[in-house]
Each structure stands twice: as structure tokens, then as C-alpha cells.
Amino acid sequence: MNYIFVATCLFGLEKLLGEEIDALGYNRIETIDGRVRFTGDENAVARCNIMLRTAERLFIEVGRTPAYTFDDLFEGVRNMPWEDYIGRDDAFPVSGHSVKSVLTSIPALQSVVQKAIAERHKWAYDLDWCPANATKMQIEFFILKDQASLLLDLSGVALHKRGYRPVSNAAPLRETLASALVKISRPREDVLFWDPMCGSGTIPIEAAMLMANISPGISRSFAAEEYDFLPLNIWKNARDEAKSLQKADADFEIYASDIDFDAIRITRDNCRRAGVTKYVKAFVRDALEITTGGRRGTIVCNPPYGERLFTSEQAEELYRKMGRHFEQLDNWQIYILSSNEQFERLYGRKADKVRKLYNGMIKCGYYQFFKKREVSDHINGKRN
């Protein structure tokens, strides 16, 4: 049976997520901010949950309906085939969002959707009331421009929670965003990959998992594993496939360094849990003292923004020092995530490319430096 799926992601990662879905062999229908719709069979439930690196959650789309009024929404939801998914005794809590639509009260919308599903449930199973004492099946509505999509959550715990990072530093980077930063930097086996401000090690770990083709969800469970309408063998098959795709003979090296010894201790523990210790060398070093050692290299880092770590003034001074020191790293490629709109001026160089991304709700630029700087690349307050 084919389903319509919705995979959500952080804003700015839609293209990367779409490419991942394509690579798994599924057909995209639509891409909007923060989500990709596509079609696939029941195996996609397990394969996408386990293998997608930049998705936040995976849903099945149960149906769509106009939502100009509460009556429209109620009737549309009640006419959807909920019994194909929800069992007689299952619970179905409801949450959701409404964007650019007439109906905006989330509590009222939750109530309407819940009542409509309950009415359908009682009709389908000939019940006077809904027992709701078995499997929890989270329902989400997403209303955009007065059109509602009703979704069944297949992931449970968000997909960025891989399971290797129970402890992190004070300003952790979401694993899905870290994976995207790595992908954009195009890591290669013959080029040293280095995060000189590694914090809890998320960027280096995601780089190692990508290079060794370790699926991000290989060691965790998902809500849909409890859903009776799905065959159990899809999970074993997907995990077996994921294990078969791992590159046991991958040959690359990743450095994870930080000025804070506690950060390195956490990084080492997280590397062990992620199974990438043999690929990641974690050690204490000031980012302003790193050298190339005569090797080709790529730096990917997420320095403090001056919000949760450092003051704004401290962060800006760090950017100035980074620009001066990283200039000495010959032709290394440099990738830096920052929320400071004046980052290029502070760093002292115009980026070859800037990509807009979001770290949670924080709007950031991903500043990418590919070429050796010429004198004309110096900037003073404005981009050329």
C-alpha cells in the first residue's frame, strides 16, 4: 500500500531533506517551508525514520480538508479513514499549528479535531465511548492558508535525538543541523575535517556518521514500532539494510578540539555512544592556536553567538581573532555558522557563499570560504 508522507525539518534544510528522500527512492510531491511531502510504501516508515539525517519528524498524511470554518474542519476530519490507522482501544491526542489562516485558536482547533476523530472512531467500532487505554497515536494538524493536513506521527521522539548525546554543553547544536552543516561542506576521505570549537562534539560525530554511512536512527526506537497497522518485519528489514550500508573500511580522520576540558570529556563519551571513536580524535586546544600541519583540511564550526555563551562583545572579538588566525591556514576551506549579521565585517573577509539557516528559531548565516583571500577581499562594513 502506498501512503503520502510528510517529513519536517528546520527552515533552510528542505533541499537537503528532499535530496535524501530522492536517494531512498521515494517520490516528492511538494516542498514548502519546513516540510516535504512524498509518496512511499509501508517500508518507507522504517527506512525514513532510521536513515534520514536532516528530518525532524516523519508523518503519514491521513487526509486534507478545507478549514475556513470549524464546521468545515469537523466534517472533513470526521470523513477521513481513521480506522485504517487507529485501533479500537488506542489513544489519539491532538496537537498542531495554524499559519496564515482564518482559524487561529490552537486549543479550539485541538478540540474540534479530537471530537471529529472520536465521532469517526465510535462509528467505525460501534462504540458509545473511546476507551483510549492502549497505544498512544499522536495526531497533528497543520493548517496553512485555510487548508488543513491531518497527520499521524510516526517518529515519537524527534529524529534529531539520535541517542548518543544524553549530556551536552550549554548551547547544543541540534544534530540535524549539524548533519546539514557537514553535508554542505562536502567532506572527503583525503581531507582532514576539524571542528575547533566542538562543544559536545555534535558536528564531528555527525561528520563521522556521514562518512562511515552510519544511519542516524540505527540505535533508537520509534513510535510507529507500536502501531498495529504496520507489519513488524519492516523494522528488521530497514535496520538490516542500514547495517549493510555501513562502511567498515572507511578511511578518514576527524579532529574535535575545544578550549574546555569538560567539553572534550563530553565529546569523547558521545563519540563512544555513537560508535565513532576510531574516527574522531578529541583533544583540548584553543581554536586560535590550530595549525595545518601541512595537511589539506576543512574547518566546520559553530562559535558562540553571544546569546547563551559569551557576551555579544566577547563573541565579536572572537570573530575578529578567528579571521586573523584562520587566514594563516593556507588554502583550507572554512565553514562557520553565526547569527551575527555583521559576521563578515568582524571576521575581516567576504564569504564566497552564505546560506541562510536556522538554529532552532535563531536565524543564522552559514559563511563559506573556499578560496585563498586576495587583498581585494578585505571588507570594511559592506559586502562588495
Side-chain angles (χ1 to χ4, degrees):
M1 178 177 177
N2 263 16
Y3 299 95
I4 295 177
F5 294 96
V6 175
T8 60
C9 63
L10 294 173
F11 292 146
L13 303 189
E14 297 86 359
K15 183 176 185 293
L16 290 174
L17 176 56
E19 291 171 350
E20 287 191 80
I21 290 167
D22 293 344
L24 289 177
Y26 302 117
N27 298 313
R28 278 189 273 173
I29 302 172
E30 178 186 33
T31 301
I32 61 174
D33 288 349
R35 58 190 58 213
V36 179
R37 293 175 75 229
F38 63 100
T39 60
D41 61 10
E42 60 194 13
N43 294 295
V45 176
R47 295 180 76 230
C48 291
N49 266 312
I50 291 169
M51 299 181 188
L52 290 178
R53 298 181 187 277
T54 56
E56 291 296 318
R57 288 186 182 275
L58 182 69
F59 301 89
I60 279 178
E61 185 178 86
V62 179
R64 288 184 147 193
T65 183
Y68 298 103
T69 68
F70 288 118
D71 286 342
D72 288 339
L73 181 62
F74 182 89
E75 291 301 325
V77 173
R78 185 172 63 176
N79 288 328
M80 294 177 187
W82 294 101
E83 64 276 10
D84 290 350
Y85 308 96
I86 301 174
R88 181 185 183 278
D89 297 327
D90 293 338
F92 41 90
V94 174
S95 61
H97 303 84
S98 179
V99 180
K100 299 178 181 178
S101 298
V102 174
L103 303 179
T104 58
S105 171
I106 300 304
L109 290 164
Q110 286 176 295
S111 178
V112 169
V113 170
Q114 184 108 42
K115 288 178 182 178
I117 299 174
E119 285 297 310
R120 177 77 181 206
H121 196 76
K122 289 187 286 187
W123 169 82
Y125 292 104
D126 193 22
L127 298 170
D128 294 325
W129 60 289
C130 298
N133 56 11
T135 303
K136 175 184 172 182
M137 308 188 78
Q138 182 68 48
I139 307 300
E140 180 169 313
F141 60 83
F142 178 65
I143 304 176
L144 175 64
K145 297 180 180 179
D146 305 310
Q147 301 296 313
S149 296
L150 276 294
L151 309 167
L152 172 61
D153 183 8
L154 302 170
S155 299
V157 175
L159 296 179
H160 72 263
K161 295 186 177 181
R162 321 290 207 208
Y164 63 72
R165 198 178 70 172
V167 178
S168 59
N169 64 342
L173 184 72
R174 194 171 291 191
E175 293 89 331
T176 43
L177 179 56
S179 184
L181 301 183
V182 172
K183 284 190 166 199
I184 294 168
S185 74
R186 304 181 303 280
R188 299 175 296 284
E189 287 195 352
D190 59 341
V191 177
L192 174 65
F193 184 100
W194 194 340
D195 179 358
M197 302 176 189
C198 69
S200 56
T202 310
I203 291 174
I205 290 171
E206 291 294 325
M209 293 178 71
L210 177 66
M211 294 290 283
N213 207 25
I214 299 171
S215 291
I218 192 68
S219 299
R220 54 158 289 180
S221 59
F222 307 93
E225 291 184 74
E226 303 297 322
Y227 295 174
D228 288 339
F229 75 91
L230 293 168
L232 286 174
N233 69 332
I234 64 172
W235 300 99
K236 182 182 185 304
N237 293 342
R239 289 189 172 98
D240 287 346
E241 179 187 2
K243 289 175 183 176
S244 73
L245 294 172
Q246 291 182 16
K247 299 176 181 177
D249 59 346
D251 183 19
F252 59 90
E253 190 172 14
I254 294 171
Y255 285 180
S257 62
D258 200 284
I259 199 170
D260 182 0
F261 177 80
D262 285 338
I264 295 305
R265 176 181 54 80
I266 293 171
T267 292
R268 289 171 178 165
D269 288 344
N270 290 342
C271 286
R272 175 179 51 78
R273 277 184 287 267
V276 298
T277 299
K278 69 176 181 178
Y279 302 118
V280 180
K281 181 180 180 181
F283 53 93
V284 175
R285 186 171 299 179
D286 188 332
L288 303 179
E289 296 178 358
I290 67 174
T291 59
T292 67
R295 302 180 62 175
R296 295 177 61 204
T298 295
I299 286 177
V300 177
C301 63
N302 175 42
Y305 299 166
E307 298 187 18
R308 288 175 289 183
L309 291 176
F310 283 33
T311 65
S312 296
E313 292 76 16
Q314 288 173 321
E316 289 180 358
E317 181 59 23
L318 175 62
Y319 299 157
R320 294 187 184 97
K321 291 178 178 178
M322 287 170 59
R324 290 193 291 269
H325 183 70
F326 287 0
E327 171 64 12
Q328 301 172 37
L329 301 179
D330 301 327
N331 290 320
W332 279 34
Q333 295 187 350
I334 313 291
Y335 296 78
I336 302 171
L337 186 71
S338 175
S339 64
N340 192 315
E341 294 182 356
Q342 298 301 313
F343 176 81
E344 290 169 296
R345 178 181 63 80
L346 295 164
Y347 189 78
R349 179 180 173 186
K350 184 175 72 173
D352 296 300
K353 187 174 182 179
V354 182
R355 184 163 182 161
K356 184 172 74 173
L357 298 173
Y358 283 80
N359 186 359
M361 297 304 295
I362 303 173
K363 181 180 176 181
C364 296
Y366 192 34
Y367 297 91
Q368 304 167 51
F369 304 92
F370 310 137
K371 307 168 186 173
K372 186 172 178 62
R373 181 169 69 174
E374 302 294 340
V375 174
S376 61
D377 283 335
H378 286 274
I379 57 173
N380 295 299
K382 295 183 180 179
R383 292 189 59 137
N384 292 337

